[in-house]
Amino acid sequence: MTTIQWFPGHMAKARREASEKLNLVDIVIELVDARIPESSRNPMIDEIVQQKPRIIVLNKADLADKQKTQQWVAYYEAQGYQSLAIDAQHSKGLKQLEKECQALMAPYFEKQQAKGVKPRAIRLMILGIPNVGKSTLINRFVGKNQAITGNKPGVTKAQRWLKIGRNFELLDTPGILWPKFEDPDVGKKLALTGAIKDQLLHMDDLALYLIDYLRQYQPNTLVDKFKFTTEQLEQETTVNLLLSITQQMGLKDDFETASQRLVHDFRQQKFGNLTLDVPYVSVNLHE
Ligand code: G4P
């Protein structure tokens, strides 16, 4: 399969730009895709953000497996981060996100108040790889009350701030990080969820990955949709399953077109809500 390069130049630029912005804010909202929380993180994020308070926000929760989303949130919380799931497109979870930001800053403001300094608006920035929903979140967060609060000194480029109610100011341009996908599986997950361009990978690689995933974690979907037997799912190679699907689609041996259809169907939620990153730990959760 195609090897995808992660150019050091891109990395350095993304880091520099993110660090410039970091200096201006109180809290970083690290936005990831709930379907691939780990694969959509930049692996150097800890180094980039360092000690700055951060909330790991799993966006597009409406597309992900609900239980696995809860497990991922629990996992990040166990790692010492604040974390929550949202659906920015439908403005779900935004009030909770505001509350978590306030909770995160409360100790700082209490100290300041003890010194006689009045609490001020909390400054936020959104950071994440392309397509995780940064612009959508900014738009939904700010809504109609877009008000620019003026530039802050200290950066070469002028930064604009947007007001969210009375309590928050948000940098109007998010920090963009590069996804890292030396691991081919990470690349496939990024491509399946639309974070990287389709042209970077072969469709049949993506389709095979998807079939493998379904076979392992959601075999009933394959049984229902393509009438495979349990024995076939246990014994057949993934390539044979793809060939069988191709024939069922009436495409003879055109597995490239069949692969495209499978990937398209995944993106249209035809296989339901799938979380492709399997949670590292299984945490007992009550619905
Ligand atoms: P970015 O700034 O991080 O690059 O992402 P952006 O907001 O542009 O969002 C990328 C796509 O994801 C958009 O779809 C957007 O509507 C969708 N999106 C963002 N948040 C959510 C969410 O919570 N749930 C769902 N279901 N979708 C969300 P698009 O404009 O149609 O672009 P594309 O799908 O053609 O890439």
Side-chain angles (χ1 to χ4, degrees):
M1 75 164 255
T2 326
T3 313
I4 306 158
Q5 296 295 334
W6 198 46
F7 299 110
H10 287 154
M11 183 178 76
K13 185 161 177 267
R15 269 181 76 160
R16 197 173 50 244
E17 285 179 0
S19 311
E20 256 181 25
K21 290 185 179 133
L22 272 170
N23 290 331
L24 303 171
V25 300
D26 299 306
I27 297 175
V28 171
I29 295 173
E30 182 191 349
L31 205 60
V32 299
D33 186 322
R35 294 167 296 175
I36 50 166
E38 272 303 278
S39 301
S40 59
R41 295 184 84 195
N42 177 301
M44 295 175 76
I45 185 83
D46 291 341
E47 222 178 284
I48 295 167
V49 177
Q50 294 186 11
Q51 299 309 314
K52 183 74 70 180
R54 179 182 0 161
I55 301 184
I56 300 178
V57 177
L58 285 71
N59 189 34
K60 308 197 187 186
D62 55 312
L63 304 179
D65 177 313
K66 208 171 155 194
Q67 200 189 357
K68 291 199 175 93
T69 299
Q70 288 179 325
Q71 288 177 329
W72 274 115
V73 166
Y75 168 78
Y76 290 125
E77 285 181 342
Q79 303 277 305
Y81 297 106
Q82 244 164 300
S83 178
L84 82 158
I86 65 165
D87 163 6
Q89 195 168 42
H90 305 99
S91 300
K92 289 195 181 142
L94 304 195
K95 283 279 162 238
Q96 188 58 30
L97 178 54
E98 285 186 20
K99 273 192 204 149
E100 298 219 4
C101 289
Q102 274 165 328
L104 203 52
M105 288 303 287
Y108 172 76
F109 284 139
E110 272 161 28
K111 263 193 219 158
Q112 291 291 93
Q113 235 167 341
K115 288 190 217 157
V117 182
K118 273 195 194 157
R120 55 165 175 75
I122 298 171
R123 292 180 200 135
L124 307 173
M125 75 176 278
I126 295 168
L127 192 63
I129 67 165
N131 214 43
V132 287
K134 298 181 295 301
S135 313
T136 307
L137 178 56
I138 290 177
N139 288 334
R140 297 297 184 278
F141 232 161
V142 177
K144 293 196 188 95
N145 313 314
Q146 287 218 13
I148 298 156
T149 60
N151 298 332
K152 301 263 187 298
V155 271
T156 42
K157 253 188 286 169
Q159 299 285 357
R160 297 194 319 157
W161 295 81
L162 305 166
K163 262 185 182 297
I164 307 170
R166 286 165 55 201
N167 298 325
F168 297 96
E169 290 174 3
L170 176 68
L171 265 185
D172 85 333
T173 41
I176 300 171
L177 296 173
W178 282 82
K180 187 170 183 184
F181 32 94
E182 272 167 6
D183 174 352
D185 282 354
V186 172
K188 287 172 205 164
K189 291 185 225 182
L190 288 165
L192 277 168
T193 54
I196 57 171
K197 290 197 182 79
D198 281 348
Q199 295 91 301
L200 289 173
L201 289 148
H202 296 297
M203 272 294 154
D204 47 328
D205 275 337
L206 298 187
L208 290 170
Y209 185 84
L210 194 57
I211 296 168
D212 244 351
Y213 176 91
L214 289 169
R215 161 155 65 181
Q216 206 174 338
Y217 298 105
Q218 224 160 291
N220 287 343
T221 310
L222 288 174
V223 173
D224 293 346
K225 255 180 125 43
F226 301 109
K227 311 286 172 250
F228 289 124
T229 61
T230 315
E231 290 75 49
Q232 277 176 305
L233 290 183
E234 275 166 15
Q235 288 160 17
E236 284 294 354
T237 62
T238 316
V239 170
N240 277 345
L241 294 180
L242 175 59
L243 289 177
S244 166
I245 290 171
T246 308
Q247 277 152 17
Q248 287 186 45
M249 286 177 171
L251 293 166
K252 296 196 177 112
D253 57 0
D254 182 2
F255 58 86
E256 191 65 30
T257 304
S259 299
Q260 262 164 20
R261 280 195 201 165
L262 274 178
V263 172
H264 179 263
D265 284 355
F266 163 78
R267 290 179 179 154
Q268 297 294 309
Q269 303 294 109
K270 297 266 170 68
F271 301 116
N273 284 12
L274 298 186
T275 296
L276 300 176
D277 276 347
V278 180
Y280 289 145
V281 281
S282 127
V283 184
N284 277 332
L285 293 164
H286 307 287
E287 279 288 308

